[in-house]
Amino acid sequence: EKMVIKGVAHDVDIARIAVIGVADKPGMAHKLFKALADQGINVDIILQSIGRGGTKDISFTVSKSNLKQAVDIIKGLLDELGATDVKYAEDIAKISVVGAGMANNPGIASLMFEALAEEGINIEMISTSEIKISCLIPKEDIERAVKAVHKKFQLDSVA
Amino acid sequence: EKMVIKGVAHDVDIARIAVIGVADKPGMAHKLFKALADQGINVDIILQSIGRGGTKDISFTVSKSNLKQAVDIIKGLLDELGATDVKYAEDIAKISVVGAGMANNPGIASLMFEALAEEGINIEMISTSEIKISCLIPKEDIERAVKAVHKKFQLDSVA
Ligand SMILES: C[C@@H](O)[C@H](N)C(=O)O
Ligand SMILES: C[C@@H](O)[C@H](N)C(=O)O
């Protein structure tokens, strides 16, 4: 599939929450996201990667206005989830490369990471799909990041 | 945005690799994915979540046929990445709910996780985008999972 990068998107109205040490048994992810859905909390990215010692960390992003409520809901659930802690940060921003045919182009992710690396920008979280590669980075770096990624993919910088 | 679930997809030709304890400084993700791209290794999902102790675990999925080569490449890179280990598993499968307007429906993820929880199926990894929610689960549970998720979203089971 020919790689077609349509543009670069970014979002600064974002906060990330991580529930640390969730028991790795069926039903825990459901308990967490049902509690958030029941309160109408919109969740953007959900990430659960490899865990350590039989537990998993479940991270997700919400808008800044939902951060406090989401954290309060989780604090009330920590015992039921067998989790040890909830961590959050709002000094972050999301930058995404949007296109088609990503899945068959191993080089796209590498190029995006290269653009950020050359600017000395640290990648805090990564989430990908067929049509999009998203990175969470420090909020103060978002302008530089957008310019660097536009340049790397030779996109018209006015996109 | 009205939630429109188009279907349930699954993939059993998948293996997951996790690079454990990557140094959390600019350039590391680029080094890893450039090495894979240079060898033409197609990567599907990339996940980097919250880390522990100043390092991050970077997970990604490849086809089963690329597993051995990808692991060999990473083993040669562990020092440069400041990483401690590379772990992999191929007894997994991916199940995805595909639709539109996911991002504005906090209940979709919760419903998918509920379908898996009710079947006692453990979720190993989670990755989401606006149009898709994907879970890695034990390979032997994939048939039950597809049926349960179809039923939960009241989709025609023949999709
Ligand atoms: C950690 C959490 O995802 C758990 N494995 C579950 O299935 O709910
Ligand atoms: C861990 C890795 O993502 C690192 N933070 C980087 O920017 O490359």
Side-chain angles (χ1 to χ4, degrees):
Chain A
E1 209 171 341
K2 180 124 181 48
M3 161 180 135
V4 177
I5 296 290
K6 292 197 196 104
V8 178
H10 69 283
D11 180 0
V12 289
D13 178 22
I14 190 169
R16 73 158 168 69
I17 298 172
V19 188
I20 308 292
V22 175
D24 189 15
K25 58 178 199 244
M28 295 297 106
H30 173 239
K31 206 184 277 286
L32 171 60
F33 289 99
K34 179 162 164 47
L36 294 167
D38 287 353
Q39 302 292 327
I41 304 261
N42 273 8
V43 170
D44 181 18
I45 298 173
I46 301 175
L47 272 187
Q48 177 192 307
S49 185
I50 190 140
R52 302 223 180 153
T55 67
K56 301 265 186 187
D57 301 335
I58 302 180
S59 298
F60 60 93
T61 59
V62 295
S63 67
K64 288 203 192 322
S65 58
N66 277 338
L67 176 62
K68 175 152 173 28
Q69 192 188 356
V71 170
D72 287 347
I73 292 169
I74 294 166
K75 283 194 172 142
L77 269 184
L78 284 181
D79 282 352
E80 274 181 74
L81 296 174
T84 51
D85 196 6
V86 55
K87 290 191 186 149
Y88 53 92
E90 42 184 325
D91 54 352
I92 54 158
K94 179 170 75 167
I95 178 168
S96 309
V97 171
V98 188
M102 302 280 215
N104 298 315
N105 271 285
I108 298 181
S110 168
L111 271 182
M112 180 183 191
F113 301 153
E114 181 172 77
L116 299 173
E118 286 169 353
E119 287 287 318
I121 296 172
N122 197 41
I123 302 168
E124 307 221 343
M125 263 167 77
I126 302 170
S127 172
T128 66
S129 75
E130 287 77 13
I131 58 161
K132 194 162 147 175
I133 299 175
S134 296
C135 291
L136 294 191
I137 61 172
K139 199 171 157 197
E140 75 262 19
D141 295 330
I142 193 67
E143 309 272 320
R144 273 192 314 134
V146 171
K147 278 205 188 80
V149 174
H150 267 302
K151 211 168 131 206
K152 182 64 67 178
F153 288 100
Q154 292 157 355
L155 292 165
D156 175 351
S157 65
V158 187
Chain B
E1 209 172 340
K2 186 143 170 33
M3 163 180 132
V4 177
I5 296 289
K6 291 198 196 101
V8 178
H10 70 282
D11 180 1
V12 288
D13 177 21
I14 189 170
R16 76 157 164 70
I17 298 173
V19 188
I20 308 293
V22 176
D24 189 16
K25 56 178 200 252
M28 294 299 104
H30 172 239
K31 205 183 276 289
L32 171 60
F33 290 99
K34 179 163 164 44
L36 294 166
D38 287 352
Q39 302 292 326
I41 304 262
N42 274 8
V43 170
D44 182 19
I45 297 172
I46 302 175
L47 273 185
Q48 176 191 310
S49 185
I50 190 142
R52 302 224 183 154
T55 67
K56 302 265 185 189
D57 301 335
I58 301 180
S59 298
F60 59 94
T61 58
V62 295
S63 67
K64 287 201 192 326
S65 59
N66 277 337
L67 176 61
K68 174 152 175 30
Q69 193 187 355
V71 170
D72 286 346
I73 292 168
I74 293 165
K75 284 193 172 144
L77 269 183
L78 285 181
D79 282 351
E80 274 181 77
L81 297 174
T84 50
D85 196 6
V86 56
K87 292 192 184 149
Y88 54 92
E90 43 184 325
D91 55 352
I92 54 159
K94 179 171 75 168
I95 180 169
S96 307
V97 171
V98 189
M102 301 281 210
N104 298 317
N105 272 286
I108 298 182
S110 169
L111 271 182
M112 181 183 192
F113 300 154
E114 180 173 78
L116 298 174
E118 286 169 353
E119 288 287 320
I121 296 173
N122 196 44
I123 303 169
E124 308 222 343
M125 264 167 77
I126 304 169
S127 172
T128 66
S129 74
E130 289 76 18
I131 57 160
K132 193 163 152 174
I133 299 174
S134 296
C135 291
L136 294 191
I137 60 172
K139 199 172 154 194
E140 76 261 19
D141 296 330
I142 192 68
E143 310 270 319
R144 269 190 319 131
V146 172
K147 277 206 190 81
V149 174
H150 267 301
K151 210 168 133 208
K152 182 65 68 179
F153 288 99
Q154 292 157 355
L155 292 164
D156 175 353
S157 65
V158 187

